[in-house]
Amino acid sequence: MDFDSTLLAEAEGLDTREPTPTRPPSPPPELTALQPALKQSTLTFGTLQPAAYLPSLNKAQRTAVTAPSTGSLQILAGPGSAGKTKVLTTRVAYLLQQYKIEPEELVVVTFTNKAANEMKLRLSVIVGAATVEKLMMGTFHSVCVRYLRKYGKLINLPNNFIIADRDDCLAIIKRILPSILSSHSDDLKKELKPNLLLDVISKCKSSEMSPSDYRAQQAKVENEGARERMEAIWRVYEDYEAELAKDNALDFDDLLLRGLNLLQRFPRVVSKVKNVLIDEFQDTNGTQYSLVKLIAKASGSLTIVGDPDQSIYGWRNADVENLEKMVNDFAPVQQIYLEENYRSTGAILGAALAVVRQDTTRIPKSLTATHPTGSSVVLHCAPTAFDEASFIAAQIKHLVAHSGGLVDYGDVAVLLRYGALSRVVEVALQKSGIPSRMVGGHKFFERAEVKDLLSYLQLIDNPSYTSAFTRIINVPKRGLGEKSVKEILGVAKKKGWTAWDVAVKLAKGSGVVGLTSAQRKGVREFVKTVSEARGWAEEGKSVSDLIDLVCENVAYRAHLEKTQGPDAQERWMNVEELKSTNALRTFLAVSMLATDTETQDAKADKLERKVTLSTVHAAKGLEWAVVFVPGCENGVFPFYRSESPNEINEERRLLYVAITRAQGFCTLSHSMSRMTGATVSKKELTPFLSTVSKTYPTLFVKRLQKIGPTTRVEMARVLGRPAPSEELALQLIQAQ
């Protein structure tokens, strides 16, 4: 009996002494969904030998690709060091072709399905689709699924387990929560919402903390309130795990934990693996690193690609220290630095390195520009956030015109520390006639919480506005379903009233619409809130006061915490940002104009080139010819809730990532004051830049340097584009 058959037989409880042939189970639907459909697109691909692809690599890349197949290798690649994926892909090909490792003996892990699919397609060109399909390649979750489907019965896990998505997991918590919280305080009931509990459980699992481990921690806590909270969470965690087991289901965290358990108890499952390769290693968490150690234990051969300077996901439990752990656990480790940067000008790299090198604990590595110095990075100070946004809009128009058509709006990005900062920028771009789009989310006035509060304000200003009424009559939940709302609208139409008129009558006890007592109570509270706010508006109260009144009366923040889970804090920041205008009707006019413009934009040609608005986190891995980073202030970079040295260092890396998205032009800006809610706060330049600007006084300039023919030709080379016509450049400049 061969190796796999023996293990499968043990999993099935068969007598391994008998030569009983065992047939592996067919790939499950969940696994099939995680793998790309390669056959149709790659069957015609041929194969390439090392002599065909090695000459295209630079010296460091070639050293990484051809490193010995045994032993461990860290490929530390900076941003824009062209070919990180290419290096990992060709390393896999070289191991297969030159060192004759069988594809089944390699494990290749990426962080996204998209990255795995791209690598499979690239590899298919080199080694052929049939070979690629034999590789153990995918995300940590998909690799664990494959091992668990095949060998799960070794740990008493049926191979037909279900993978529970977030909605399934929330449904379980909602089912078990009432009985657990019945004996606890009302305050605790309000706090412990399903989304919050699921996040706590996920964090426990990512730290390999079982329910019993969590309870052991509770025993060490002296504060009675904290102990009560932890006890409730422990009971939810324990019952949640029991429900998953009863349903033969695993959540996403369980896929890793059960995979870890399988490999800890039965290391023979991966004893044939000869080399493990991991992409984006700086983003691995504790559980993932434990998996890597177990898979690579037998061979001791581990290749990773990563950049500690781009480790910006600590809030998702990523641990940049795993790079140092690898050095100790897999010694000796060969380190190869991919430091040639093919993206940015020398001036941009100089500014980025000056920022990140303030962290004296980082791995000392550099970046070497392959492009000329280019224009200096601009560091602009504006009196207010509105002035800062107007400056950005004006600079975008200036750059597009003076580039002579070399760049357009689609080549420009405004990178934000958090989403709420987009509001003033969006308004400024709109006023200047500059189209924009938001990556990884909605534009400010399209966000659900913003629309909710706008609808309340619209109804306060104009009670006959039915669209606003229908959006918020059941936000937060008041027990009024679609049927009840339709009945209210139907009565209004029949009687010639507004929907608000019907609600007022219902609040006063009228039976014009049949409602339950709970629904009537909800309508009464709704009418009371809007009526009170209307009185405040007539007295000239500010938008901020009205929003505060509505949010307090309807418990809107609690509503966000209940419905949005980990996103609640950022959504509340959007509510706070909404409070920065005083006059109600002026505010509504501006905001509704923005909303209407966005609606028209959505209907316009989707191919239109637009300025990109994005958070820095969502921009990682991307690049633009022109980048603006507003809000370079203390409290934004670093974020005001960042306190520990590790958190501060991660915030510094976040600014580094933002700067290194730029290819040709980069502008950093800050304002001397910024509105936080209804309060104007004085702001100071981020310490990440204040120290650098004092140490290197010529590193930044206050205004963009002149863009002439020489700069345009230079930038064309950086961007890999034809140099623009000077005649066209002159026309664009004159037309500005």
Side-chain angles (χ1 to χ4, degrees):
M1 204 179 259
D2 65 16
F3 171 83
D4 279 347
S5 297
T6 303
L7 274 175
L8 283 168
E10 290 179 16
E12 296 289 349
L14 300 175
D15 184 350
T16 59
R17 294 170 297 178
E18 296 296 326
T20 306
T22 305
R23 184 177 180 181
S26 58
E30 294 88 345
L31 182 55
T32 304
L34 291 171
Q35 297 175 320
L38 288 174
K39 291 185 178 179
Q40 191 172 11
S41 61
T42 59
L43 277 177
T44 57
F45 289 172
T47 58
L48 301 174
Q49 292 305 309
Y53 55 78
L54 289 180
S56 67
L57 305 175
N58 64 35
K59 183 178 179 181
Q61 291 171 334
R62 195 157 49 249
T63 301
V65 168
T66 60
S69 62
T70 56
S72 294
L73 175 66
Q74 283 189 346
I75 304 169
L76 301 177
S81 53
K84 281 184 287 188
T85 303
K86 182 179 182 181
V87 168
L88 192 60
T89 301
T90 48
R91 169 75 172 160
V92 172
Y94 197 81
L95 290 172
L96 293 167
Q97 295 174 324
Q98 192 69 19
Y99 292 117
K100 307 302 180 185
I101 296 176
E102 295 298 322
E104 297 90 347
E105 297 170 338
L106 290 180
V107 175
V108 185
V109 180
T110 64
F111 255 80
T112 65
N113 290 319
K114 179 182 177 183
N117 293 346
E118 289 176 355
M119 189 176 295
K120 286 178 180 180
L121 288 171
R122 291 189 187 194
L123 269 172
S124 295
V125 177
I126 303 175
V127 300
T131 299
V132 170
E133 289 169 359
K134 295 176 184 177
L135 290 168
M136 178 65 82
M137 178 185 286
T139 64
F140 277 104
H141 292 89
S142 66
V143 167
C144 284
V145 166
R146 291 176 68 175
Y147 280 127
L148 290 170
R149 293 291 187 198
K150 196 169 186 180
Y151 302 115
K153 287 192 176 181
L154 289 169
I155 56 172
N156 299 316
L157 177 68
N159 64 8
N160 65 338
F161 61 83
I162 302 297
I163 300 175
D165 63 18
R166 187 173 179 88
D167 287 342
D168 297 329
C169 298
L170 286 171
I172 291 173
I173 292 178
K174 289 174 183 177
R175 196 162 65 236
I176 63 179
L177 194 54
S179 61
I180 293 175
L181 293 183
S182 60
S183 60
H184 290 282
S185 66
D186 290 339
D187 288 343
L188 198 59
K189 291 175 184 176
K190 290 179 182 177
E191 180 190 357
L192 297 183
K193 302 300 182 184
N195 275 297
L196 172 67
L197 289 163
L198 187 57
D199 291 335
V200 172
I201 291 171
S202 179
K203 193 159 189 175
C204 286
K205 289 187 176 185
S206 69
S207 303
E208 300 176 46
M209 184 183 295
S210 67
S212 57
D213 293 333
Y214 187 83
R215 191 182 191 189
Q217 279 200 348
Q218 178 215 358
K220 302 174 184 176
V221 175
E222 296 181 2
N223 181 276
E224 187 175 341
R227 289 192 64 176
E228 181 189 9
R229 182 181 186 274
M230 291 185 71
E231 181 188 359
I233 293 173
W234 160 66
R235 290 182 60 197
V236 171
Y237 189 4
E238 188 172 59
D239 287 5
Y240 169 80
E241 291 291 271
E243 288 293 310
L244 284 175
K246 187 175 71 175
D247 294 341
N248 187 29
L250 302 182
D251 63 20
F252 271 60
D253 295 305
D254 286 332
L255 295 176
L256 303 185
L257 290 174
R258 294 300 185 91
L260 188 63
N261 180 245
L262 170 67
L263 301 185
Q264 286 170 334
R265 293 175 57 189
F266 298 93
R268 284 188 298 160
V269 166
V270 289
S271 61
K272 289 175 64 177
V273 174
K274 290 188 177 177
N275 212 302
V276 181
L277 302 99
I278 314 290
D279 194 14
E280 301 289 357
F281 190 74
Q282 76 279 350
D283 293 333
T284 54
N285 62 29
T287 303
Q288 290 164 340
Y289 181 66
S290 296
L291 279 166
V292 171
K293 283 178 63 179
L294 289 168
I295 298 172
K297 184 177 180 180
S299 67
S301 298
L302 173 62
T303 297
I304 67 94
V305 176
D307 182 5
D309 291 335
Q310 294 189 78
S311 178
I312 58 173
Y313 296 112
W315 49 278
R316 291 200 310 217
N317 303 312
D319 188 355
V320 69
E321 293 181 4
N322 285 342
L323 284 159
E324 186 62 31
K325 291 176 183 176
M326 176 187 168
V327 170
N328 296 324
D329 294 335
F330 289 89
V333 174
Q334 181 183 1
Q335 291 183 324
I336 297 174
Y337 297 91
L338 303 186
E339 296 181 322
E340 288 189 31
N341 179 283
Y342 297 86
R343 173 187 297 157
S344 307
T345 62
I348 291 170
L349 293 185
L353 285 170
V355 168
V356 80
R357 280 174 173 166
Q358 294 173 82
D359 178 6
T360 57
T361 65
R362 65 184 282 274
I363 295 174
K365 60 186 186 66
S366 187
L367 289 172
T368 302
T370 59
H371 294 306
T373 302
S375 296
S376 297
V377 173
V378 175
L379 179 56
H380 176 76
C381 178
T384 70
F386 296 99
D387 294 313
E388 179 187 34
S390 297
F391 165 79
I392 289 172
Q395 288 295 98
I396 290 172
K397 287 209 155 188
H398 177 86
L399 275 164
V400 169
H402 285 253
S403 73
L406 181 64
V407 299
D408 58 26
Y409 292 142
D411 293 309
V412 181
V414 181
L415 303 184
L416 312 161
R417 173 58 185 84
Y418 51 85
L421 292 172
S422 74
R423 186 186 71 84
V424 289
V425 178
E426 287 177 32
V427 171
L429 294 179
Q430 181 199 335
K431 285 182 178 179
S432 298
I434 300 173
S436 64
R437 67 187 184 99
M438 188 77 191
V439 168
H442 296 291
K443 294 174 78 172
F444 185 81
F445 289 106
E446 293 174 339
R447 294 166 194 167
E449 62 279 8
V450 173
K451 285 189 170 185
D452 287 346
L453 272 301
L454 278 177
S455 293
Y456 270 105
L457 294 173
Q458 288 164 344
L459 201 65
I460 291 164
D461 182 59
N462 177 12
S464 64
Y465 190 27
T466 303
S467 294
F469 177 90
T470 54
R471 180 178 181 89
I472 59 171
I473 182 61
N474 201 39
V475 177
K477 297 287 186 184
R478 298 185 177 93
L480 294 162
E482 186 178 345
K483 181 181 176 182
S484 298
V485 175
K486 280 185 177 180
E487 287 181 12
I488 291 173
L489 296 177
V491 169
K493 184 177 181 180
K494 183 177 179 181
K495 299 287 189 180
W497 300 334
T498 66
W500 171 253
D501 292 334
V502 178
V504 171
K505 292 179 186 298
L506 290 169
K508 292 179 178 179
S510 171
V512 290
V513 176
L515 299 178
T516 66
S517 58
Q519 289 173 325
R520 285 185 180 279
K521 180 183 177 184
V523 172
R524 279 197 303 272
E525 291 173 350
F526 172 69
V527 169
K528 179 183 177 183
T529 293
V530 175
S531 298
E532 185 179 356
R534 280 180 57 73
W536 279 31
E538 289 172 3
E539 294 172 8
K541 295 280 189 179
S542 68
V543 169
S544 175
D545 290 333
L546 296 176
I547 291 176
D548 282 340
L549 174 66
V550 169
C551 288
E552 182 177 350
N553 283 9
V554 305
Y556 193 76
R557 186 167 191 171
H559 161 71
L560 290 178
E561 290 170 351
K562 180 179 180 180
T563 59
Q564 302 302 324
D567 295 332
Q569 177 61 32
E570 185 163 351
R571 289 181 181 272
W572 182 251
M573 289 169 68
N574 290 331
V575 173
E576 290 288 320
E577 179 64 23
L578 196 61
K579 293 159 59 176
S580 59
T581 305
N582 288 322
L584 176 59
R585 288 195 174 159
T586 301
F587 171 80
L588 288 174
V590 172
S591 61
M592 292 316 295
L593 178 60
T595 304
D596 182 65
T597 301
E598 288 159 7
T599 302
Q600 295 300 319
D601 284 347
K603 296 177 181 178
D605 183 4
K606 292 184 179 179
L607 297 178
E608 180 185 12
R609 301 277 288 172
K610 300 178 180 181
V611 169
T612 296
L613 300 174
S614 174
T615 63
V616 183
H617 285 102
K620 185 170 177 282
L622 304 176
E623 61 185 31
W624 290 270
V626 181
V627 168
F628 291 86
V629 187
C632 292
E633 301 143 16
N634 197 11
V636 179
F637 289 101
F639 194 49
Y640 69 94
R641 286 186 294 171
S642 300
E643 297 177 352
S644 71
N646 285 343
E647 290 172 334
I648 298 297
N649 288 337
E650 180 163 318
E651 290 289 311
R652 183 184 291 107
R653 293 194 294 268
L654 194 61
L655 182 57
Y656 168 81
V657 167
I659 296 170
T660 54
R661 300 310 93 199
Q663 296 172 283
F665 299 95
C666 181
T667 296
L668 310 175
S669 59
H670 63 107
S671 63
M672 297 171 67
S673 67
R674 189 177 295 274
M675 290 197 76
T676 305
T679 306
V680 177
S681 304
K682 290 185 177 180
K683 295 293 180 181
E684 296 178 350
L685 178 64
T686 168
F688 301 155
L689 294 176
S690 59
T691 303
V692 169
S693 59
K694 290 174 185 175
T695 307
Y696 306 101
T698 62
L699 190 62
F700 302 110
V701 294
K702 292 183 178 180
R703 59 181 61 86
L704 185 67
Q705 293 160 318
K706 182 180 179 181
I707 300 175
T710 303
T711 303
R712 284 190 282 271
V713 171
E714 193 175 79
M715 283 304 102
R717 289 174 183 160
V718 171
L719 301 176
R721 300 175 184 177
S725 157
E726 282 306 306
E727 182 180 351
L728 175 60
L730 185 60
Q731 290 175 1
L732 290 172
I733 293 168
Q734 290 175 343
Q736 186 185 14

